[in-house]
Amino acid sequence: MTYAASRPEQEAQTGMAPPPELADWLAAVAQHGDRQSFARLFQWFAPRIKRYMQRLGADPDLAEDLAQETLVQVWRKAGQFDSSRAPSAWVFTIARNLRIDRLRRQRLYEVELTEEADAEDEQGDGHQRVLDRLDAGRLPDLVGALPAEQVEVIRLAYFEGLSHGEVGKALDLPLGTVKSRLRLALTKLRSAMRVEP
Amino acid sequence: MTIRHHPDDATLVAYAAGAVTEGISLVLAAHLELCPRCREHVRDATELGGALLAGLDPAPLADGALTAALARIDREPQAKHTRRPRHRPADGLPGTLAPWFPAGLARVPWRTLAPGVKHFRFPGVDSGAGTVRLLSIAPGTALPHHGHGGSELTLVLRGSFVDEIGRFAAGDLAELDPSIQHQPVADTDLPCICLVATDARLRFSGVLGRLFQPLVGI
């Protein structure tokens, strides 16, 4: 396998923040099936999802098809979007699940992750707390500020769909190093994403 | 339920990225149902996925892509404004697993694997080279000492076990990578029921282990 180490440099401009209107467009689609807002969402997301699918092994025709289908699902499920989360994260999960279904013929078992569901939790285990608010808008800059070696393992996991073992083989790194880089990256992002109360 | 053992953050990142097998995702989803801390970590790793998607270089679309998509949504009804409910764990059984066990953990169609050890393999879950199964370990029973070709995730649903790493009770998730050999022992008066997924073959050591290997049949 040759996952060229040049990739992180080629895509170093992770600072590209999504337009702030994404959430409004999603709301307009959810509330009154607004086609113009859908068109804007499509024009922003579909080309990126097509790239995502190609990175994960789809040929251009299939990638185009999967990008289109992701956006059709965005239309259909817009009412389920939780406005406390980043629109791009929600669309990412739809694209991710579609590629697992179509490219791997598997599924990813999921649970509801939203804050509201946590508030209803009745386990009485002391975890009923107001979750920190994420400042997800800063995330692209934060990713750009991570060390290149951490960005490299993140990209292989998210965009090549590689397991830790496969990432280790691709980069000729011990498994423990792959895991510690991912762990460090998440810890750093988590602390940086949280706004001071 | 106080959860003391969690999956590695690296594993939660792989889950959010969609880079784990279906079997591993089943165990992680069952743990997530029980664990607000790990839900938060997965939520953050998912936000990271969104930011990475947003940062990708846009690929040019075919002519007429938007027109085609608009034609498609004309035929697609929009779903109701609902939120997917999270199942409440009943009887120690996370809702994620409920479809396989309509009568709960009391009535699992077990098969005996070895003295004191029963298992149930999940039909219809694709784990690649690994497996996903429910294990029931009788009180005091020790599993053969074994290592792993890949990762092994074990979620305790009922009872508890101890191994070289520590003590694991309901809700705890034990994560082992290939460098670790362990020998779990059920350490209470109740059978220890756990959900175990591997993403590669187990490696048993010792005479008992070699006898056990064909029974495990992976």
Side-chain angles (χ1 to χ4, degrees), chain A residues 16-49:
Chain A
M16 169 89 182
E21 297 86 1
L22 290 178
D24 298 336
W25 297 338
L26 264 178
V29 168
Q31 283 155 22
H32 37 266
D34 185 61
R35 291 164 56 95
Q36 195 177 3
S37 294
F38 175 79
R40 289 181 172 137
L41 287 169
F42 186 93
Q43 280 163 337
W44 200 79
F45 277 115
R48 288 168 173 83
I49 295 165

PDB file of all heavy atoms in Angstrom, chain A residues 16-49:
ATOM      1  N   MET A  16     -11.087  26.058   5.772  1.00  0.00           N
ATOM      2  CA  MET A  16     -12.279  26.426   5.006  1.00  0.00           C
ATOM      3  C   MET A  16     -13.532  26.196   5.848  1.00  0.00           C
ATOM      4  O   MET A  16     -14.025  25.078   5.961  1.00  0.00           O
ATOM      5  CB  MET A  16     -12.302  25.542   3.763  1.00  0.00           C
ATOM      6  CG  MET A  16     -13.592  25.598   2.970  1.00  0.00           C
ATOM      7  SD  MET A  16     -13.504  26.898   1.767  1.00  0.00           S
ATOM      8  CE  MET A  16     -15.134  26.789   1.049  1.00  0.00           C
ATOM      9  N   ALA A  17     -14.019  27.247   6.479  1.00  0.00           N
ATOM     10  CA  ALA A  17     -15.203  27.092   7.333  1.00  0.00           C
ATOM     11  C   ALA A  17     -16.458  27.025   6.471  1.00  0.00           C
ATOM     12  O   ALA A  17     -16.570  27.738   5.476  1.00  0.00           O
ATOM     13  CB  ALA A  17     -15.294  28.251   8.301  1.00  0.00           C
ATOM     14  N   PRO A  18     -17.406  26.162   6.826  1.00  0.00           N
ATOM     15  CA  PRO A  18     -18.648  26.107   6.067  1.00  0.00           C
ATOM     16  C   PRO A  18     -19.445  27.392   6.233  1.00  0.00           C
ATOM     17  O   PRO A  18     -19.308  28.077   7.246  1.00  0.00           O
ATOM     18  CB  PRO A  18     -19.390  24.918   6.684  1.00  0.00           C
ATOM     19  CG  PRO A  18     -18.725  24.633   7.978  1.00  0.00           C
ATOM     20  CD  PRO A  18     -17.349  25.195   7.920  1.00  0.00           C
ATOM     21  N   PRO A  19     -20.253  27.764   5.252  1.00  0.00           N
ATOM     22  CA  PRO A  19     -21.027  29.003   5.379  1.00  0.00           C
ATOM     23  C   PRO A  19     -21.989  28.911   6.565  1.00  0.00           C
ATOM     24  O   PRO A  19     -22.563  27.853   6.810  1.00  0.00           O
ATOM     25  CB  PRO A  19     -21.784  29.101   4.052  1.00  0.00           C
ATOM     26  CG  PRO A  19     -21.726  27.747   3.453  1.00  0.00           C
ATOM     27  CD  PRO A  19     -20.509  27.076   3.990  1.00  0.00           C
ATOM     28  N   PRO A  20     -22.146  30.005   7.289  1.00  0.00           N
ATOM     29  CA  PRO A  20     -22.998  29.976   8.490  1.00  0.00           C
ATOM     30  C   PRO A  20     -24.470  29.728   8.169  1.00  0.00           C
ATOM     31  O   PRO A  20     -25.240  29.363   9.053  1.00  0.00           O
ATOM     32  CB  PRO A  20     -22.793  31.372   9.103  1.00  0.00           C
ATOM     33  CG  PRO A  20     -22.200  32.210   8.032  1.00  0.00           C
ATOM     34  CD  PRO A  20     -21.473  31.299   7.097  1.00  0.00           C
ATOM     35  N   GLU A  21     -24.847  29.876   6.893  1.00  0.00           N
ATOM     36  CA  GLU A  21     -26.272  29.707   6.542  1.00  0.00           C
ATOM     37  C   GLU A  21     -26.711  28.252   6.459  1.00  0.00           C
ATOM     38  O   GLU A  21     -27.907  27.976   6.306  1.00  0.00           O
ATOM     39  CB  GLU A  21     -26.575  30.377   5.181  1.00  0.00           C
ATOM     40  CG  GLU A  21     -26.360  31.876   5.137  1.00  0.00           C
ATOM     41  CD  GLU A  21     -24.919  32.243   4.813  1.00  0.00           C
ATOM     42  OE1 GLU A  21     -24.090  31.316   4.596  1.00  0.00           O
ATOM     43  OE2 GLU A  21     -24.611  33.444   4.800  1.00  0.00           O
ATOM     44  N   LEU A  22     -25.772  27.317   6.542  1.00  0.00           N
ATOM     45  CA  LEU A  22     -26.160  25.908   6.359  1.00  0.00           C
ATOM     46  C   LEU A  22     -27.329  25.498   7.258  1.00  0.00           C
ATOM     47  O   LEU A  22     -28.271  24.836   6.826  1.00  0.00           O
ATOM     48  CB  LEU A  22     -24.967  24.975   6.625  1.00  0.00           C
ATOM     49  CG  LEU A  22     -23.822  24.971   5.610  1.00  0.00           C
ATOM     50  CD1 LEU A  22     -22.712  24.023   6.075  1.00  0.00           C
ATOM     51  CD2 LEU A  22     -24.305  24.573   4.225  1.00  0.00           C
ATOM     52  N   ALA A  23     -27.269  25.926   8.531  1.00  0.00           N
ATOM     53  CA  ALA A  23     -28.316  25.526   9.481  1.00  0.00           C
ATOM     54  C   ALA A  23     -29.664  26.139   9.089  1.00  0.00           C
ATOM     55  O   ALA A  23     -30.706  25.491   9.216  1.00  0.00           O
ATOM     56  CB  ALA A  23     -27.930  25.932  10.902  1.00  0.00           C
ATOM     57  N   ASP A  24     -29.630  27.393   8.593  1.00  0.00           N
ATOM     58  CA  ASP A  24     -30.884  28.039   8.168  1.00  0.00           C
ATOM     59  C   ASP A  24     -31.479  27.322   6.968  1.00  0.00           C
ATOM     60  O   ASP A  24     -32.694  27.136   6.872  1.00  0.00           O
ATOM     61  CB  ASP A  24     -30.632  29.513   7.792  1.00  0.00           C
ATOM     62  CG  ASP A  24     -30.129  30.312   8.982  1.00  0.00           C
ATOM     63  OD1 ASP A  24     -30.402  29.895  10.128  1.00  0.00           O
ATOM     64  OD2 ASP A  24     -29.460  31.340   8.758  1.00  0.00           O
ATOM     65  N   TRP A  25     -30.615  26.936   6.030  1.00  0.00           N
ATOM     66  CA  TRP A  25     -31.108  26.220   4.842  1.00  0.00           C
ATOM     67  C   TRP A  25     -31.738  24.887   5.256  1.00  0.00           C
ATOM     68  O   TRP A  25     -32.794  24.516   4.750  1.00  0.00           O
ATOM     69  CB  TRP A  25     -29.960  25.978   3.850  1.00  0.00           C
ATOM     70  CG  TRP A  25     -29.365  27.247   3.296  1.00  0.00           C
ATOM     71  CD1 TRP A  25     -29.971  28.471   3.244  1.00  0.00           C
ATOM     72  CD2 TRP A  25     -28.065  27.423   2.735  1.00  0.00           C
ATOM     73  NE1 TRP A  25     -29.123  29.390   2.687  1.00  0.00           N
ATOM     74  CE2 TRP A  25     -27.947  28.784   2.355  1.00  0.00           C
ATOM     75  CE3 TRP A  25     -26.986  26.573   2.504  1.00  0.00           C
ATOM     76  CZ2 TRP A  25     -26.799  29.307   1.759  1.00  0.00           C
ATOM     77  CZ3 TRP A  25     -25.827  27.078   1.905  1.00  0.00           C
ATOM     78  CH2 TRP A  25     -25.738  28.439   1.544  1.00  0.00           C
ATOM     79  N   LEU A  26     -31.067  24.207   6.197  1.00  0.00           N
ATOM     80  CA  LEU A  26     -31.626  22.930   6.668  1.00  0.00           C
ATOM     81  C   LEU A  26     -32.987  23.146   7.333  1.00  0.00           C
ATOM     82  O   LEU A  26     -33.929  22.381   7.119  1.00  0.00           O
ATOM     83  CB  LEU A  26     -30.679  22.282   7.687  1.00  0.00           C
ATOM     84  CG  LEU A  26     -29.706  21.237   7.182  1.00  0.00           C
ATOM     85  CD1 LEU A  26     -28.823  20.751   8.324  1.00  0.00           C
ATOM     86  CD2 LEU A  26     -30.464  20.056   6.578  1.00  0.00           C
ATOM     87  N   ALA A  27     -33.086  24.218   8.132  1.00  0.00           N
ATOM     88  CA  ALA A  27     -34.345  24.506   8.824  1.00  0.00           C
ATOM     89  C   ALA A  27     -35.448  24.793   7.808  1.00  0.00           C
ATOM     90  O   ALA A  27     -36.586  24.340   7.959  1.00  0.00           O
ATOM     91  CB  ALA A  27     -34.169  25.680   9.778  1.00  0.00           C
ATOM     92  N   ALA A  28     -35.115  25.533   6.752  1.00  0.00           N
ATOM     93  CA  ALA A  28     -36.123  25.865   5.730  1.00  0.00           C
ATOM     94  C   ALA A  28     -36.573  24.610   4.992  1.00  0.00           C
ATOM     95  O   ALA A  28     -37.754  24.466   4.648  1.00  0.00           O
ATOM     96  CB  ALA A  28     -35.546  26.888   4.738  1.00  0.00           C
ATOM     97  N   VAL A  29     -35.652  23.700   4.764  1.00  0.00           N
ATOM     98  CA  VAL A  29     -36.025  22.430   4.121  1.00  0.00           C
ATOM     99  C   VAL A  29     -36.926  21.621   5.054  1.00  0.00           C
ATOM    100  O   VAL A  29     -37.942  21.069   4.641  1.00  0.00           O
ATOM    101  CB  VAL A  29     -34.758  21.613   3.753  1.00  0.00           C
ATOM    102  CG1 VAL A  29     -35.122  20.187   3.356  1.00  0.00           C
ATOM    103  CG2 VAL A  29     -34.008  22.295   2.607  1.00  0.00           C
ATOM    104  N   ALA A  30     -36.566  21.609   6.351  1.00  0.00           N
ATOM    105  CA  ALA A  30     -37.346  20.825   7.315  1.00  0.00           C
ATOM    106  C   ALA A  30     -38.742  21.409   7.494  1.00  0.00           C
ATOM    107  O   ALA A  30     -39.729  20.678   7.534  1.00  0.00           O
ATOM    108  CB  ALA A  30     -36.615  20.771   8.655  1.00  0.00           C
ATOM    109  N   GLN A  31     -38.808  22.741   7.596  1.00  0.00           N
ATOM    110  CA  GLN A  31     -40.084  23.349   7.978  1.00  0.00           C
ATOM    111  C   GLN A  31     -41.061  23.506   6.825  1.00  0.00           C
ATOM    112  O   GLN A  31     -42.249  23.307   6.999  1.00  0.00           O
ATOM    113  CB  GLN A  31     -39.833  24.703   8.656  1.00  0.00           C
ATOM    114  CG  GLN A  31     -39.345  24.526  10.102  1.00  0.00           C
ATOM    115  CD  GLN A  31     -38.528  25.699  10.595  1.00  0.00           C
ATOM    116  OE1 GLN A  31     -38.641  26.813  10.065  1.00  0.00           O
ATOM    117  NE2 GLN A  31     -37.687  25.471  11.590  1.00  0.00           N
ATOM    118  N   HIS A  32     -40.559  23.876   5.650  1.00  0.00           N
ATOM    119  CA  HIS A  32     -41.520  23.997   4.557  1.00  0.00           C
ATOM    120  C   HIS A  32     -40.991  23.471   3.234  1.00  0.00           C
ATOM    121  O   HIS A  32     -41.346  23.990   2.182  1.00  0.00           O
ATOM    122  CB  HIS A  32     -42.078  25.431   4.443  1.00  0.00           C
ATOM    123  CG  HIS A  32     -41.064  26.501   4.743  1.00  0.00           C
ATOM    124  ND1 HIS A  32     -40.928  27.049   6.001  1.00  0.00           N
ATOM    125  CD2 HIS A  32     -40.150  27.096   3.972  1.00  0.00           C
ATOM    126  CE1 HIS A  32     -39.960  27.942   5.980  1.00  0.00           C
ATOM    127  NE2 HIS A  32     -39.470  27.995   4.762  1.00  0.00           N
ATOM    128  N   GLY A  33     -40.140  22.480   3.305  1.00  0.00           N
ATOM    129  CA  GLY A  33     -39.685  21.846   2.079  1.00  0.00           C
ATOM    130  C   GLY A  33     -39.182  22.840   1.043  1.00  0.00           C
ATOM    131  O   GLY A  33     -39.493  22.728  -0.141  1.00  0.00           O
ATOM    132  N   ASP A  34     -38.393  23.795   1.506  1.00  0.00           N
ATOM    133  CA  ASP A  34     -37.936  24.871   0.626  1.00  0.00           C
ATOM    134  C   ASP A  34     -36.895  24.361  -0.376  1.00  0.00           C
ATOM    135  O   ASP A  34     -35.788  23.968  -0.008  1.00  0.00           O
ATOM    136  CB  ASP A  34     -37.357  26.005   1.476  1.00  0.00           C
ATOM    137  CG  ASP A  34     -36.977  27.199   0.631  1.00  0.00           C
ATOM    138  OD1 ASP A  34     -37.872  27.777  -0.012  1.00  0.00           O
ATOM    139  OD2 ASP A  34     -35.768  27.538   0.572  1.00  0.00           O
ATOM    140  N   ARG A  35     -37.263  24.418  -1.655  1.00  0.00           N
ATOM    141  CA  ARG A  35     -36.407  23.838  -2.685  1.00  0.00           C
ATOM    142  C   ARG A  35     -35.175  24.688  -2.972  1.00  0.00           C
ATOM    143  O   ARG A  35     -34.120  24.167  -3.325  1.00  0.00           O
ATOM    144  CB  ARG A  35     -37.213  23.619  -3.969  1.00  0.00           C
ATOM    145  CG  ARG A  35     -38.265  22.517  -3.826  1.00  0.00           C
ATOM    146  CD  ARG A  35     -39.292  22.590  -4.941  1.00  0.00           C
ATOM    147  NE  ARG A  35     -38.668  22.541  -6.255  1.00  0.00           N
ATOM    148  CZ  ARG A  35     -38.508  21.438  -6.965  1.00  0.00           C
ATOM    149  NH1 ARG A  35     -38.939  20.291  -6.498  1.00  0.00           N
ATOM    150  NH2 ARG A  35     -37.925  21.487  -8.141  1.00  0.00           N
ATOM    151  N   GLN A  36     -35.326  25.988  -2.802  1.00  0.00           N
ATOM    152  CA  GLN A  36     -34.164  26.840  -3.051  1.00  0.00           C
ATOM    153  C   GLN A  36     -33.073  26.599  -2.000  1.00  0.00           C
ATOM    154  O   GLN A  36     -31.887  26.551  -2.321  1.00  0.00           O
ATOM    155  CB  GLN A  36     -34.601  28.306  -3.040  1.00  0.00           C
ATOM    156  CG  GLN A  36     -33.531  29.202  -3.641  1.00  0.00           C
ATOM    157  CD  GLN A  36     -33.965  30.657  -3.704  1.00  0.00           C
ATOM    158  OE1 GLN A  36     -35.043  31.026  -3.250  1.00  0.00           O
ATOM    159  NE2 GLN A  36     -33.103  31.483  -4.268  1.00  0.00           N
ATOM    160  N   SER A  37     -33.524  26.422  -0.765  1.00  0.00           N
ATOM    161  CA  SER A  37     -32.559  26.117   0.291  1.00  0.00           C
ATOM    162  C   SER A  37     -31.918  24.761   0.048  1.00  0.00           C
ATOM    163  O   SER A  37     -30.724  24.565   0.275  1.00  0.00           O
ATOM    164  CB  SER A  37     -33.243  26.126   1.672  1.00  0.00           C
ATOM    165  OG  SER A  37     -33.668  27.429   1.984  1.00  0.00           O
ATOM    166  N   PHE A  38     -32.745  23.822  -0.436  1.00  0.00           N
ATOM    167  CA  PHE A  38     -32.191  22.513  -0.770  1.00  0.00           C
ATOM    168  C   PHE A  38     -31.120  22.650  -1.847  1.00  0.00           C
ATOM    169  O   PHE A  38     -30.040  22.042  -1.768  1.00  0.00           O
ATOM    170  CB  PHE A  38     -33.280  21.537  -1.222  1.00  0.00           C
ATOM    171  CG  PHE A  38     -32.716  20.223  -1.682  1.00  0.00           C
ATOM    172  CD1 PHE A  38     -32.327  19.257  -0.769  1.00  0.00           C
ATOM    173  CD2 PHE A  38     -32.521  19.968  -3.047  1.00  0.00           C
ATOM    174  CE1 PHE A  38     -31.763  18.050  -1.185  1.00  0.00           C
ATOM    175  CE2 PHE A  38     -31.959  18.771  -3.474  1.00  0.00           C
ATOM    176  CZ  PHE A  38     -31.583  17.816  -2.540  1.00  0.00           C
ATOM    177  N   ALA A  39     -31.408  23.461  -2.845  1.00  0.00           N
ATOM    178  CA  ALA A  39     -30.451  23.646  -3.937  1.00  0.00           C
ATOM    179  C   ALA A  39     -29.122  24.199  -3.412  1.00  0.00           C
ATOM    180  O   ALA A  39     -28.045  23.790  -3.843  1.00  0.00           O
ATOM    181  CB  ALA A  39     -31.042  24.579  -4.996  1.00  0.00           C
ATOM    182  N   ARG A  40     -29.216  25.126  -2.452  1.00  0.00           N
ATOM    183  CA  ARG A  40     -27.981  25.684  -1.882  1.00  0.00           C
ATOM    184  C   ARG A  40     -27.216  24.623  -1.101  1.00  0.00           C
ATOM    185  O   ARG A  40     -25.992  24.551  -1.187  1.00  0.00           O
ATOM    186  CB  ARG A  40     -28.324  26.863  -0.979  1.00  0.00           C
ATOM    187  CG  ARG A  40     -28.781  28.059  -1.783  1.00  0.00           C
ATOM    188  CD  ARG A  40     -29.097  29.210  -0.866  1.00  0.00           C
ATOM    189  NE  ARG A  40     -29.351  30.400  -1.657  1.00  0.00           N
ATOM    190  CZ  ARG A  40     -30.334  31.253  -1.415  1.00  0.00           C
ATOM    191  NH1 ARG A  40     -31.137  31.067  -0.379  1.00  0.00           N
ATOM    192  NH2 ARG A  40     -30.500  32.302  -2.176  1.00  0.00           N
ATOM    193  N   LEU A  41     -27.954  23.839  -0.304  1.00  0.00           N
ATOM    194  CA  LEU A  41     -27.297  22.751   0.432  1.00  0.00           C
ATOM    195  C   LEU A  41     -26.620  21.799  -0.545  1.00  0.00           C
ATOM    196  O   LEU A  41     -25.494  21.350  -0.330  1.00  0.00           O
ATOM    197  CB  LEU A  41     -28.332  21.970   1.268  1.00  0.00           C
ATOM    198  CG  LEU A  41     -28.886  22.668   2.509  1.00  0.00           C
ATOM    199  CD1 LEU A  41     -30.080  21.885   3.058  1.00  0.00           C
ATOM    200  CD2 LEU A  41     -27.811  22.798   3.583  1.00  0.00           C
ATOM    201  N   PHE A  42     -27.333  21.495  -1.612  1.00  0.00           N
ATOM    202  CA  PHE A  42     -26.805  20.564  -2.612  1.00  0.00           C
ATOM    203  C   PHE A  42     -25.506  21.108  -3.200  1.00  0.00           C
ATOM    204  O   PHE A  42     -24.500  20.394  -3.302  1.00  0.00           O
ATOM    205  CB  PHE A  42     -27.845  20.345  -3.716  1.00  0.00           C
ATOM    206  CG  PHE A  42     -27.444  19.293  -4.709  1.00  0.00           C
ATOM    207  CD1 PHE A  42     -27.833  17.971  -4.548  1.00  0.00           C
ATOM    208  CD2 PHE A  42     -26.660  19.620  -5.819  1.00  0.00           C
ATOM    209  CE1 PHE A  42     -27.457  16.997  -5.446  1.00  0.00           C
ATOM    210  CE2 PHE A  42     -26.268  18.650  -6.725  1.00  0.00           C
ATOM    211  CZ  PHE A  42     -26.668  17.335  -6.549  1.00  0.00           C
ATOM    212  N   GLN A  43     -25.549  22.389  -3.574  1.00  0.00           N
ATOM    213  CA  GLN A  43     -24.371  22.941  -4.238  1.00  0.00           C
ATOM    214  C   GLN A  43     -23.165  23.013  -3.314  1.00  0.00           C
ATOM    215  O   GLN A  43     -22.029  22.938  -3.762  1.00  0.00           O
ATOM    216  CB  GLN A  43     -24.703  24.320  -4.827  1.00  0.00           C
ATOM    217  CG  GLN A  43     -25.447  24.140  -6.136  1.00  0.00           C
ATOM    218  CD  GLN A  43     -26.175  25.372  -6.603  1.00  0.00           C
ATOM    219  OE1 GLN A  43     -26.507  26.246  -5.809  1.00  0.00           O
ATOM    220  NE2 GLN A  43     -26.442  25.443  -7.908  1.00  0.00           N
ATOM    221  N   TRP A  44     -23.427  23.146  -2.029  1.00  0.00           N
ATOM    222  CA  TRP A  44     -22.288  23.197  -1.107  1.00  0.00           C
ATOM    223  C   TRP A  44     -21.796  21.798  -0.736  1.00  0.00           C
ATOM    224  O   TRP A  44     -20.601  21.518  -0.760  1.00  0.00           O
ATOM    225  CB  TRP A  44     -22.622  23.993   0.166  1.00  0.00           C
ATOM    226  CG  TRP A  44     -21.346  24.430   0.810  1.00  0.00           C
ATOM    227  CD1 TRP A  44     -20.569  25.485   0.433  1.00  0.00           C
ATOM    228  CD2 TRP A  44     -20.646  23.770   1.857  1.00  0.00           C
ATOM    229  NE1 TRP A  44     -19.428  25.531   1.200  1.00  0.00           N
ATOM    230  CE2 TRP A  44     -19.447  24.497   2.079  1.00  0.00           C
ATOM    231  CE3 TRP A  44     -20.899  22.644   2.633  1.00  0.00           C
ATOM    232  CZ2 TRP A  44     -18.511  24.134   3.052  1.00  0.00           C
ATOM    233  CZ3 TRP A  44     -19.963  22.283   3.601  1.00  0.00           C
ATOM    234  CH2 TRP A  44     -18.790  23.031   3.798  1.00  0.00           C
ATOM    235  N   PHE A  45     -22.736  20.906  -0.420  1.00  0.00           N
ATOM    236  CA  PHE A  45     -22.327  19.590   0.094  1.00  0.00           C
ATOM    237  C   PHE A  45     -21.988  18.560  -0.985  1.00  0.00           C
ATOM    238  O   PHE A  45     -21.049  17.779  -0.824  1.00  0.00           O
ATOM    239  CB  PHE A  45     -23.423  18.998   0.994  1.00  0.00           C
ATOM    240  CG  PHE A  45     -23.388  19.491   2.404  1.00  0.00           C
ATOM    241  CD1 PHE A  45     -24.432  20.247   2.924  1.00  0.00           C
ATOM    242  CD2 PHE A  45     -22.299  19.206   3.234  1.00  0.00           C
ATOM    243  CE1 PHE A  45     -24.393  20.698   4.243  1.00  0.00           C
ATOM    244  CE2 PHE A  45     -22.258  19.654   4.547  1.00  0.00           C
ATOM    245  CZ  PHE A  45     -23.309  20.404   5.048  1.00  0.00           C
ATOM    246  N   ALA A  46     -22.788  18.510  -2.047  1.00  0.00           N
ATOM    247  CA  ALA A  46     -22.650  17.388  -2.989  1.00  0.00           C
ATOM    248  C   ALA A  46     -21.225  17.249  -3.561  1.00  0.00           C
ATOM    249  O   ALA A  46     -20.703  16.134  -3.625  1.00  0.00           O
ATOM    250  CB  ALA A  46     -23.697  17.492  -4.094  1.00  0.00           C
ATOM    251  N   PRO A  47     -20.569  18.356  -3.963  1.00  0.00           N
ATOM    252  CA  PRO A  47     -19.207  18.186  -4.507  1.00  0.00           C
ATOM    253  C   PRO A  47     -18.220  17.648  -3.466  1.00  0.00           C
ATOM    254  O   PRO A  47     -17.297  16.907  -3.791  1.00  0.00           O
ATOM    255  CB  PRO A  47     -18.817  19.614  -4.925  1.00  0.00           C
ATOM    256  CG  PRO A  47     -20.111  20.346  -5.074  1.00  0.00           C
ATOM    257  CD  PRO A  47     -21.027  19.758  -4.049  1.00  0.00           C
ATOM    258  N   ARG A  48     -18.418  18.027  -2.203  1.00  0.00           N
ATOM    259  CA  ARG A  48     -17.527  17.530  -1.146  1.00  0.00           C
ATOM    260  C   ARG A  48     -17.803  16.064  -0.851  1.00  0.00           C
ATOM    261  O   ARG A  48     -16.881  15.290  -0.585  1.00  0.00           O
ATOM    262  CB  ARG A  48     -17.693  18.399   0.109  1.00  0.00           C
ATOM    263  CG  ARG A  48     -17.083  19.781  -0.086  1.00  0.00           C
ATOM    264  CD  ARG A  48     -17.461  20.771   1.000  1.00  0.00           C
ATOM    265  NE  ARG A  48     -16.700  22.010   0.828  1.00  0.00           N
ATOM    266  CZ  ARG A  48     -17.046  22.996   0.000  1.00  0.00           C
ATOM    267  NH1 ARG A  48     -18.154  22.894  -0.719  1.00  0.00           N
ATOM    268  NH2 ARG A  48     -16.293  24.064  -0.130  1.00  0.00           N
ATOM    269  N   ILE A  49     -19.078  15.697  -0.865  1.00  0.00           N
ATOM    270  CA  ILE A  49     -19.414  14.296  -0.609  1.00  0.00           C
ATOM    271  C   ILE A  49     -18.919  13.428  -1.768  1.00  0.00           C
ATOM    272  O   ILE A  49     -18.452  12.308  -1.568  1.00  0.00           O
ATOM    273  CB  ILE A  49     -20.929  14.135  -0.382  1.00  0.00           C
ATOM    274  CG1 ILE A  49     -21.321  14.870   0.906  1.00  0.00           C
ATOM    275  CG2 ILE A  49     -21.324  12.662  -0.295  1.00  0.00           C
ATOM    276  CD1 ILE A  49     -22.795  15.094   1.048  1.00  0.00           C
TER     277      ILE A  49
END
